[in-house]
Amino acid sequence: MKHLINNVFMLFVLVLLAGCAGNNNGQTEIIRKVKIEPVQQSDSLQVKQYSGIIKEAAEVNLAFRVAGPIQKILVKEGDYVQAGQVVAQMDTRDYEVQLAAAQAQYEQVKAEADRVIELHNRQSIAGNDYDKAVSGLKMVEAQLKHANDQMGDTKLTAPVSGYIQKVNFLENELVDAGMPVASLVNVGHYQVEVEIPVSLYVQRENIISFSGLQPAVTAEEFPLQLLSYSRKASNNQLYKVQLRINPASQPKLAPGMDIQVNIVRKNPAGAQSCIPLNALFNDNGKTYVWVYQSNGTVQKREVVTGQLTGDGRIRISGGLDVNEQIVVAGVNQLNENEQVEPLEPVAETNIGGLL
């Protein structure tokens, strides 16, 4: 009986030792769950926004080309006039007399010249007399044209459409030729002035479009046309850009308004990849990401970062290819070649992952 009890005790000890040995060798490995995303391609276009101000294209001085008393002023300050509209009328009496005299002289000389030309055609007159008659006719034709032109210049018309800014004379006042009777704000087009930094100025050949936005007028952007770049920077190292607006397309815009100018340019580096900022981590002064491998492990890879995209992402100019899988959360807790398990994406019908 004693012998049997000893055997049972020894068997129990052996089983216990075997169980302890098994627990030490079979320690469970913890596999970390990580969130991964594919590397995306960033836009090849970039949009820069600057503040600009609308200005009139020019202020035009309106003046008669002849001298005399003003008979009638047909506009007042603030009036809108169309191109070709009469602004003022000069007294025409002196120019009517001049035109009548030129007309009479022309008719007299032409009658004489016609007779001489007829005799010349019959070879009945000297060539010298013929030349004098033709020259005389050309001279009185020029005098008649000049008298007609001066008569037409007694009407002052607007060369472009716009608003009368100022009227400088009253009716019956005497003006000399070239004296500004009124000034006109040219609204054939508006100009927008905007200042851009050196970094954009040197890349201006990559700019493909300009557009404007004034929320108080319209919620939609409207096109702007490039007129010119300044060739000299201001004291703030900014270069002035002149742009053009067609007022007919935006009739509510007016000189003096400030607008947002959007400048679209091609990315000088071409299309790049972009990733979330949370995917980056630093090691010994270099920037890395964890790239998820097909065997379920992660590997550290150095990347070259570019500009921020403005939506929590950053452009990557080197080190990654589009659609490669990277870890985007908890990157500081991983190790090289560590086995990980991707988190399942949350379904739209399982908000919060509660199901």
Side-chain angles (χ1 to χ4, degrees), residues 44 89 114 226:
S44 59
Q89 174 67 59
D114 287 345
L226 174 65

Side-chain angles (χ1 to χ4, degrees), residues 212-349:
L213 179 63
Q214 170 47 260
V217 173
T218 175
E220 298 181 356
E221 295 182 17
F222 45 86
L224 301 175
Q225 296 177 335
L226 174 65
L227 291 177
S228 65
Y229 293 99
S230 66
R231 295 295 177 179
K232 183 178 179 180
S234 65
N235 294 333
N236 296 325
Q237 286 296 297
L238 298 173
Y239 287 83
K240 186 176 293 183
V241 183
Q242 295 281 354
L243 304 167
R244 172 176 174 163
I245 304 174
N246 180 6
S249 65
Q250 297 294 331
K252 293 184 178 180
L253 294 177
M257 286 186 180
D258 60 328
I259 67 170
Q260 174 184 302
V261 177
N262 299 324
I263 302 178
V264 180
R265 70 164 181 170
K266 294 183 291 186
N267 190 338
Q272 297 179 334
S273 57
C274 69
I275 62 173
L277 283 169
N278 294 337
L280 300 175
F281 65 95
N282 293 319
D283 188 6
N284 293 326
K286 296 181 179 180
T287 304
Y288 296 90
V289 297
W290 291 110
V291 181
Y292 180 72
Q293 306 298 312
S294 58
N295 61 2
T297 62
V298 291
Q299 289 185 355
K300 184 170 66 173
R301 187 183 300 175
E302 184 180 358
V303 294
V304 180
T305 57
Q307 295 180 335
L308 297 173
T309 63
D311 58 353
R313 293 177 174 269
I314 189 169
R315 291 184 175 88
I316 301 297
S317 57
L320 286 175
D321 294 327
V322 174
N323 293 327
E324 281 194 290
Q325 301 285 333
I326 60 170
V327 179
V328 297
V331 295
N332 293 316
Q333 301 173 1
L334 299 177
N335 298 304
E336 184 74 8
N337 295 318
E338 182 177 344
Q339 191 79 28
V340 297
E341 180 182 350
L343 285 170
E344 292 292 333
V346 177
E348 294 182 1
T349 56

Side-chain angles (χ1 to χ4, degrees), residues 27-181:
Q27 185 176 359
T28 303
E29 182 180 0
I30 299 176
I31 298 179
R32 196 184 308 276
K33 290 188 176 183
V34 295
K35 182 180 179 181
I36 64 172
E37 286 185 11
V39 177
Q40 299 179 0
Q41 179 172 304
S42 65
D43 293 335
S44 59
L45 301 179
Q46 297 177 343
V47 180
K48 299 289 185 179
Q49 297 178 343
Y50 301 95
S51 295
I53 188 168
I54 299 175
K55 294 187 175 183
E56 65 272 13
E59 186 173 316
V60 182
N61 288 324
L62 307 180
F64 287 104
R65 300 181 66 177
V66 293
I70 300 175
Q71 184 180 63
K72 190 72 175 175
I73 295 177
L74 303 172
V75 297
K76 60 183 181 298
E77 293 180 3
D79 283 354
Y80 177 79
V81 295
Q82 298 278 359
Q85 182 176 334
V86 178
V87 173
Q89 174 67 59
M90 184 174 285
D91 190 329
T92 61
R93 287 178 297 176
D94 293 341
Y95 297 100
E96 288 174 353
V97 172
Q98 177 180 292
L99 178 59
Q103 182 70 38
Q105 185 177 11
Y106 168 76
E107 292 174 355
Q108 178 184 358
V109 173
K110 187 176 187 306
E112 180 65 24
D114 287 345
R115 188 175 74 255
V116 172
I117 292 171
E118 180 64 23
L119 292 174
H120 178 266
N121 291 337
R122 297 178 183 179
Q123 298 182 351
S124 301
I125 194 172
N128 187 41
D129 292 335
Y130 169 79
D131 292 339
K132 288 181 180 179
V134 172
S135 298
L137 180 59
K138 290 181 178 179
M139 182 177 66
V140 294
E141 285 177 342
Q143 290 174 346
L144 178 60
K145 182 179 183 303
H146 176 66
N148 268 310
D149 289 343
Q150 287 199 313
M151 186 65 184
D153 289 338
T154 59
K155 286 184 178 181
L156 179 60
T157 59
V160 295
S161 298
Y163 290 91
I164 299 298
Q165 182 79 358
K166 188 177 181 181
V167 177
N168 302 317
F169 288 90
L170 300 175
E171 293 179 357
N172 299 319
E173 285 192 282
L174 186 67
V175 296
D176 287 333
M179 293 185 66
V181 174

